[in-house]
Amino acid sequence: MQHTCAHKSPVARLECNGYDTASKSNGGSESDNLSESPMKNSPGAALLRSSRTNKGLAFSLQERQALGIHGLLPPVLSCQDEQLKRAIINYKRQPNNLLKYMYVMDVQDTNEKLFYRMLIDNLEEMMPIVYTPTVGLACQEYGHIYRRPRGLFITIHDKGYIEQILRNWPEPNIRAIVVTDGERILGLGDLGASGMGIPVGKLALYTACAGVDPAQTLPICIDVGTDNEKFLADPMYLGLRMKRVRTKEYDDLIDEFMEAVVKMYGDNCLVQFEDFGNHNAFQLLEKYKSKYCTFNDDIQGTASVAVAGILASLRVTGKKLSENKFLFQGAGEAAIGIANLLVKAIMQDGLSEEDARKQIWLVDSKGLVVKDRATGGINKQKEPFAHVHEHIRSLADAVKTLKPTGIIGVAAIKGAFTKEIIQDMASFNEHPIIFALSNPTSKAECTAEEAYTYTNGKCMFASGSPFDPVTLPDGRTLYPGQGNNAYIFPGVGLGIIASGMRIVEDNVFLVAAEELADQVTDEHLAEGRLYPPLSTVREVSIKIAAKTVEYAYRHHQASRQPEPSDKEAFVRSQTYSTDYDDFTPKFYTWPSEK
């Protein structure tokens, strides 16, 4: 993207246009004077106050005078490139990540296009700030750092009025909503209304990673109380001070919410569920996925990015997917989501669904999930992966007994992958697959350094949060792959929006996983990467969006007609630009130079 700077000073611009603000005798009629312009009474100040239209010192002299904001800004003209430099300098001045997060949120609240330009140009550095892991800390401190509302808050007391609340949102053409009820924020537990940082952060990545127009996105927090005693006792907490509602009243509220979204924005408005508790996440997905345009990122997005990393690893291990055996630490929504998508992928090798499931094992808080387990019940989500086997209490013993080719951590148990477990994995695998996917970093099952060190650099490692490159004693530097959902949900979301998809089938996420794996080069694998660098995620998202659009038309799921012949070009035409809008009045004839 090319960016050019304007004149440095309004004075230079005045001289260039032959215009003298001190006199009306400038070669034009009195009505040519900007003080008498028809634009005089326009709400120019509102453009400054709105983050969507404000461009700060980049307003030209013509715009300042025509819009009635001349004098409301310092006299210097500063193009977006210069503003970006200033913003980055101030960003780097912040002494810690939380203050960096607060700074970039202030930029988003005042100048949206500059915010996205800053994020896009520095995506690899800033994604850990606007999303995991820093967003987790921001959610924990939400009531203490709150400055300005962003998104909609719907409470259990608003039942019967949700459509009215949606009408209060100023943007009419919403195409993507990210919603949370705050019950299971990352690996941090029930944060209630403070979980709003997650929808805000996710939708920022929709735009930064895939170019979805931010005016078409809406973050929503559904507040039904919290069981977090610390928050309930905190005078700064901004949510309802009551225990979390878990009755039919909750189900009715979510039903009303989904119906109101369709009524307001149509049946192809995407609703992405984020960080709901396990029970609600599964039952809401099952309830809505064949009726609404919706998906759950914790179940399906996490599954897609994990399967993509596994598919990429096969080029190093030399095994077919069906020749692998996977053991999960955790049996919640992320584990079940990955496991179910893995089954679909394994079946492409020719195995039946039953045989594909036999390649996958789960360990939960009670130990290995097996049939007729004496301790701890098995819910219907785990049951398909409960195999006939003796009960094993610990993950370490399960690894020794089952000898999996891959272990996948999604239970937010710090250090669950011990030195013993990692070394055991390396003892019976040339290239063990070790995925420590729990967020934030403080909840990771192991670090990249531990995984590489205990396997002599032979493991195929991925994590949920970022880790720094690791230099081994033999001099090799390995770059751990971050299995970040940001590789998947923005591109899938853009494809859904662009095609007007009304129902999001599970296979969409397998298509996305396969495309992401295809974007991993041999050079990336040689560096230890199972994913492309995050700096390339925008191009990756475009490719995934194009595949999603292709899937939508091929399976008659698209509502947007006619079908575009070049899917990738079509997707690119839908993306948001960070270039500033031009507010120069087209009807005004500027005085010619003398």
Side-chain angles (χ1 to χ4, degrees):
M1 185 182 296
Q2 297 294 319
H3 299 271
T4 57
C5 288
H7 291 283
K8 300 292 184 182
S9 166
V11 175
R13 193 62 169 268
L14 284 171
E15 292 172 349
C16 176
N17 285 288
Y19 187 78
D20 179 7
T21 56
S23 170
K24 294 181 182 180
S25 57
N26 52 39
S29 67
E30 180 171 318
S31 63
D32 284 335
N33 191 305
L34 286 179
S35 65
E36 302 297 323
S37 166
M39 294 290 288
K40 177 181 178 183
N41 296 319
S42 67
L47 298 178
L48 288 175
R49 290 192 294 267
S50 170
S51 63
R52 194 142 289 160
T53 55
N54 177 36
K55 53 184 185 179
L57 296 176
F59 280 104
S60 69
L61 176 67
Q62 295 163 323
E63 290 172 320
R64 296 180 191 200
Q65 293 178 318
L67 297 170
I69 58 174
H70 194 189
L72 300 184
L73 293 165
V76 169
L77 297 182
S78 181
C79 70
Q80 193 180 74
D81 285 347
E82 294 167 337
Q83 292 176 317
L84 179 63
K85 290 177 184 176
R86 184 180 295 112
I88 292 298
I89 288 171
N90 282 302
Y91 168 82
K92 291 184 180 296
R93 283 177 176 170
Q94 306 308 312
N96 59 57
N97 286 347
L98 182 59
L99 289 175
K100 287 180 177 179
Y101 173 88
M102 294 169 65
Y103 175 76
V104 296
M105 290 300 103
D106 282 344
V107 175
Q108 186 179 22
D109 285 339
T110 54
N111 186 332
E112 189 171 77
K113 285 183 178 286
L114 178 61
F115 166 78
Y116 283 112
R117 171 79 190 284
M118 182 166 68
L119 188 52
I120 291 167
D121 285 7
N122 302 275
L123 197 55
E124 198 156 11
E125 177 184 353
M126 296 186 67
M127 189 184 290
I129 301 298
V130 300
Y131 200 58
T132 56
T134 306
V135 72
L137 177 59
C139 287
Q140 290 176 304
E141 298 292 333
Y142 187 77
H144 295 261
I145 65 174
Y146 177 84
R147 297 187 179 186
R148 175 179 171 175
R150 178 168 288 278
L152 283 178
F153 291 86
I154 297 171
T155 78
I156 192 69
H157 304 313
D158 296 321
K159 190 174 180 301
Y161 299 95
I162 295 179
E163 183 185 338
Q164 180 178 327
I165 292 173
L166 292 179
R167 291 187 185 280
N168 290 338
W169 188 249
E171 297 290 348
N173 185 32
I174 298 301
R175 308 310 320 144
I177 291 170
V178 175
V179 60
T180 187
D181 71 352
E183 185 174 4
R184 195 198 60 82
I185 298 298
L186 303 175
L188 302 171
D190 187 350
L191 301 188
S194 295
M196 176 57 104
I198 296 297
V200 170
K202 286 278 185 177
L203 288 173
L205 296 186
Y206 260 76
T207 301
C209 297
V212 175
D213 186 344
Q216 297 181 346
T217 67
L218 173 57
I220 293 179
C221 180
I222 294 180
D223 186 357
V224 295
T226 180
D227 292 335
N228 188 320
E229 295 291 346
K230 178 181 176 182
F231 278 9
L232 291 174
D234 184 352
M236 296 293 119
Y237 177 61
L238 301 179
L240 295 178
R241 295 182 185 278
M242 55 183 279
K243 289 290 187 178
R244 181 171 289 275
V245 174
R246 302 183 184 277
T247 61
K248 185 177 180 296
E249 191 178 5
Y250 174 92
D251 296 329
D252 292 343
L253 184 76
I254 305 299
D255 283 346
E256 181 187 342
F257 166 70
M258 296 299 287
E259 291 165 5
V261 166
V262 170
K263 187 172 182 180
M264 281 292 299
Y265 306 122
D267 60 0
N268 58 3
C269 177
L270 172 62
V271 179
Q272 175 178 321
F273 281 79
E274 195 71 38
D275 287 358
F276 282 67
N278 281 341
H279 171 72
N280 286 327
F282 284 119
Q283 67 101 2
L284 292 175
L285 179 61
E286 187 65 28
K287 183 178 184 179
Y288 296 139
K289 69 178 182 179
S290 60
K291 183 179 179 181
Y292 296 103
C293 181
T294 186
F295 69 86
N296 184 300
D297 187 51
D298 302 300
I299 298 173
Q300 295 160 291
T302 299
S304 188
V305 75
V307 170
I310 291 168
L311 292 176
S313 75
L314 301 180
R315 287 155 56 189
V316 176
T317 65
K319 294 177 179 289
K320 294 171 63 177
L321 185 59
S322 57
E323 295 171 339
N324 284 269
K325 183 188 295 182
F326 298 97
L327 178 63
F328 286 78
Q329 169 63 44
E333 54 197 276
I336 299 299
I338 299 169
N340 282 329
L341 197 62
L342 265 176
V343 168
K344 289 182 177 293
I346 292 171
M347 289 172 65
Q348 293 185 338
D349 282 352
L351 272 66
S352 68
E353 182 174 349
E354 181 181 358
D355 288 340
R357 291 189 184 280
K358 290 177 181 177
Q359 304 300 105
I360 298 168
W361 297 76
L362 310 176
V363 171
D364 63 11
S365 60
K366 303 294 192 300
L368 188 67
V369 175
V370 296
K371 288 188 180 297
D372 302 321
R373 188 171 65 180
T375 57
I378 299 173
N379 62 31
K380 66 178 182 178
Q381 285 80 32
K382 301 176 190 179
E383 199 277 332
F385 302 99
H387 308 306
V388 176
H389 197 281
E390 63 178 349
H391 179 60
I392 300 175
R393 185 66 185 86
S394 72
L395 175 65
D397 288 340
V399 168
K400 284 182 169 66
T401 303
L402 297 174
K403 294 181 170 53
T405 55
I407 52 174
I408 301 172
V410 281
I413 300 176
K414 178 180 173 59
F417 294 169
T418 62
K419 179 179 180 180
E420 177 189 11
I421 288 174
I422 296 171
Q423 288 180 333
D424 282 345
M425 287 293 296
S427 71
F428 42 76
N429 291 292
E430 179 66 20
H431 296 287
I433 297 170
I434 298 174
F435 282 13
L437 298 181
S438 293
N439 283 314
T441 310
S442 61
K443 301 289 185 177
E445 286 76 13
C446 68
T447 67
E449 184 175 11
E450 289 167 342
Y452 288 134
T453 300
Y454 300 150
T455 64
N456 295 318
K458 292 184 177 182
C459 71
M460 309 306 299
F461 177 80
S463 60
S465 288
F467 283 103
D468 291 332
V470 176
T471 300
L472 298 173
D474 61 12
R476 286 181 299 155
T477 298
L478 298 176
Y479 296 82
Q482 185 188 352
N484 195 318
N485 290 22
Y487 282 113
I488 296 294
F489 71 81
V492 169
L494 175 60
I496 291 169
I497 294 167
S499 64
M501 193 182 291
R502 291 192 174 99
I503 300 296
V504 186
E505 297 178 346
D506 291 338
N507 283 335
V508 168
F509 293 94
L510 183 55
V511 169
E514 292 169 343
E515 180 60 31
L516 177 55
D518 285 347
Q519 297 299 313
V520 180
T521 67
D522 291 342
E523 290 76 14
H524 294 151
L525 292 171
E527 294 175 338
R529 300 181 190 270
L530 294 179
Y531 302 97
L534 276 171
S535 59
T536 68
V537 71
R538 195 169 174 93
E539 277 301 304
V540 171
S541 295
I542 294 293
K543 300 288 188 184
I544 289 175
K547 289 292 185 181
T548 303
V549 170
E550 181 182 312
Y551 181 92
Y553 283 101
R554 186 169 68 249
H555 293 272
H556 310 291
Q557 295 289 340
S559 64
R560 189 166 181 174
Q561 300 296 333
E563 178 180 351
S565 56
D566 187 332
K567 306 297 191 294
E568 186 173 325
F570 169 67
V571 165
R572 290 185 187 278
S573 73
Q574 307 295 305
T575 56
Y576 169 79
S577 172
T578 59
D579 292 340
Y580 285 140
D581 296 322
D582 182 4
F583 297 108
T584 305
K586 299 297 186 284
F587 57 81
Y588 186 79
T589 302
W590 291 89
S592 59
E593 294 186 24
K594 295 182 179 179

